[in-house]
Amino acid sequence: MSEATKAVFLSYAREDTDAARRIADALRSQGVEVWFDQSELRGGDAWDAKIRKQIKECALFLPVISARTQLRSEGYFRLEWKLAVERTHLMAEGTAFLAPVVVDETSDSSALVPAEFKRVQWIRLPGALPTPEFVTQVKRLLGAPPVSAAGPESTAGTGSAPARRSNSRGLIVLAVVGLVLLTASLSWKHAVRSDSAAPSGPPVVVLMDTSAHDRVYDPATLQSGGTNADDITDVLHDLPVRIVKETTSWLWRREAEVVNEHPALVVMHRSCFYTFPDSDSRIADLYPHADDKLVAFIGYLATVNPRVKFIVYSRHSWEKDVDAEKWKEGATNRFPALAGRLETWRVPLDRATFRHPLTGQELRNSVERALAMHVTASP
């Protein structure tokens, strides 16, 4: 493989697909080529040959390690790990190739991984939330110019107080860059806007939420590794719609994929992009940037898709209905295309879980109202 096409191979168990996707999105957003197979149907000679070829040619091998891989004594990802280890036998001592990424509290001493994994430095990303330091470290291992000189090199998810302050500045810069790029894309709205008839088939409902532990409402859902979107899927399971779930994070960059789904409705957690570690010193500065990203995204989508509607829900963002209305008014003033297509939904704090029958039914009612012109009544 040429120096100009160095790539990262991301190896993961299927249970960690969402975590792997967040890592891949973060690296790709900063110009790193990632080989990340998202196929639901793994297997077959051609697929196996492709994976073996990629492991043989990649510049860096990132195995995702978690409590879920601990539970899997067998799986194709374990073959990928062994193939990567075999390749190191041909490499000079000290060559940077294996870079294990731990997305939870799994201990390196007790992890069920090849011995070679334990001889190299591990990267810890609690909650699989990539940081600027993580991207910097991967680019350093690839030999590419780093995004920033700041940040620790030993662990990408933690650091000293000065490193954390640098991290905050880096995150704010990423926010501004993301908003600039999104705003720039609006200038192309006439080129991408679709005024044709709605796509055939059932209406698409996109559910957007993060798996960050403090954003998941239901304790049982959190324990099982799910998101609010999983509970909402259960609430809407018998509606004549096609549900698409988008697991989000601060570094989420899949706007084009959502646009291409031609959704009739997008149901979003207002905090779906706010996945920074909670801290009194950060929250005041960083939350507005995450909120700006959300408003910019729905404004963009409303501009290029004249049919889509939105439901934005939250537990704590709005203390009263008037606060939710004020937020909606601000978003609509910024993007007039949202007029009449945006609903804010305050989740009651005394039953703040979509598993609660009344909470689930109220959200379902909102979805049915939003889709009134799209949903075909059952005969």
Side-chain angles (χ1 to χ4, degrees):
M1 183 173 54
S2 69
E3 288 297 309
T5 57
K6 286 185 176 181
V8 170
F9 185 98
L10 198 56
S11 176
Y12 64 98
R14 64 174 178 271
E15 293 84 359
D16 286 322
T17 299
D18 288 342
R21 182 181 295 111
R22 288 196 293 276
I23 293 170
D25 287 347
L27 292 173
R28 286 170 175 166
S29 73
Q30 297 300 302
V32 177
E33 182 180 358
V34 181
W35 289 340
F36 168 49
D37 192 301
Q38 300 183 63
S39 173
E40 292 287 339
L41 301 174
R42 294 184 164 194
D45 292 342
W47 181 86
D48 181 79
K50 182 190 78 169
I51 295 300
R52 289 172 182 268
K53 183 175 185 293
Q54 289 182 341
I55 293 175
K56 183 179 180 181
E57 296 181 353
C58 69
L60 192 64
F61 185 86
L62 266 64
V64 176
I65 299 169
S66 70
R68 292 170 174 178
T69 59
Q70 291 288 87
L71 295 174
R72 295 279 305 278
S73 60
E74 186 175 337
Y76 195 92
F77 70 93
R78 294 200 176 276
L79 175 59
E80 294 174 348
W81 293 2
K82 290 179 180 178
L83 291 172
V85 167
E86 288 177 5
R87 186 177 165 195
T88 65
H89 297 164
L90 301 174
M91 295 178 175
E93 193 71 24
T95 299
F97 178 65
L98 300 175
V101 179
V102 193
V103 296
D104 53 26
E105 299 302 318
T106 300
S107 167
D108 54 353
S109 61
S110 61
L112 301 177
V113 300
E116 288 78 0
F117 284 15
K118 297 185 179 182
R119 296 179 188 142
V120 298
Q121 191 172 56
W122 287 26
I123 301 172
R124 292 198 169 269
L125 289 181
L129 302 177
T131 64
E133 285 87 357
F134 165 71
V135 177
T136 297
Q137 185 169 358
V138 170
K139 296 188 79 170
R140 179 180 61 80
L141 292 171
L142 287 170
V147 175
S148 169
E153 294 185 349
S154 58
T155 54
T158 60
S160 62
R164 287 197 298 268
R165 287 194 293 271
S166 176
N167 186 22
S168 291
R169 291 194 295 271
L171 290 171
I172 293 174
V173 169
L174 282 176
V176 174
V177 170
L179 288 172
V180 168
L181 290 175
L182 191 54
T183 302
S185 68
L186 286 172
S187 66
W188 293 91
K189 63 185 178 181
H190 297 298
V192 298
R193 180 173 179 132
S194 172
D195 291 315
S196 59
S200 59
V204 174
V205 177
V206 177
L207 307 178
M208 299 181 63
D209 199 13
T210 173
S211 59
H213 72 279
D214 52 348
R215 303 288 177 254
V216 181
Y217 292 174
D218 192 274
T221 301
L222 175 62
Q223 178 122 17
S224 65
T227 67
N228 298 325
D230 295 319
D231 291 342
I232 296 173
T233 298
D234 292 340
V235 170
L236 307 179
H237 77 279
D238 58 343
L239 287 182
V241 299
R242 180 167 70 88
I243 292 177
V244 176
K245 288 187 282 189
E246 272 289 328
T247 302
T248 57
S249 72
W250 168 248
L251 292 173
W252 181 84
R253 291 291 184 273
R254 287 173 49 83
E255 293 90 350
E257 285 80 356
V258 174
V259 170
N260 290 337
E261 289 289 351
H262 303 287
L265 177 65
V266 177
V267 181
M268 303 180 74
H269 188 177
R270 188 187 174 193
S271 297
C272 68
F273 297 138
Y274 188 80
T275 55
F276 317 108
D278 279 341
S279 167
D280 290 342
S281 64
R282 293 184 177 201
I283 193 167
D285 293 332
L286 296 180
Y287 194 92
H289 294 286
D291 192 55
D292 279 346
K293 179 175 179 176
L294 183 146
V295 174
F297 169 68
I298 64 175
Y300 167 63
L301 183 54
T303 301
V304 300
N305 180 342
R307 301 174 193 83
V308 65
K309 295 184 178 181
F310 303 89
I311 296 174
V312 178
Y313 65 86
S314 179
R315 286 179 300 184
H316 300 296
S317 295
W318 309 299
E319 292 186 9
K320 301 177 181 178
D321 288 337
V322 66
D323 299 323
E325 286 298 313
K326 184 177 180 180
W327 181 87
K328 179 169 72 173
E329 181 182 356
T332 303
N333 288 339
R334 183 173 169 186
F335 293 99
L338 290 170
R341 299 158 64 187
L342 172 61
E343 176 185 350
T344 49
W345 203 76
R346 285 199 311 125
V347 179
L349 293 179
D350 59 341
R351 44 183 172 87
T353 167
F354 295 109
R355 293 191 181 206
H356 190 286
L358 183 55
T359 304
Q361 185 60 51
E362 287 176 352
L363 179 63
R364 181 187 171 102
N365 292 344
S366 292
V367 169
E368 290 179 332
R369 283 195 301 270
L371 294 175
M373 67 178 65
H374 301 287
V375 176
T376 303
S378 301

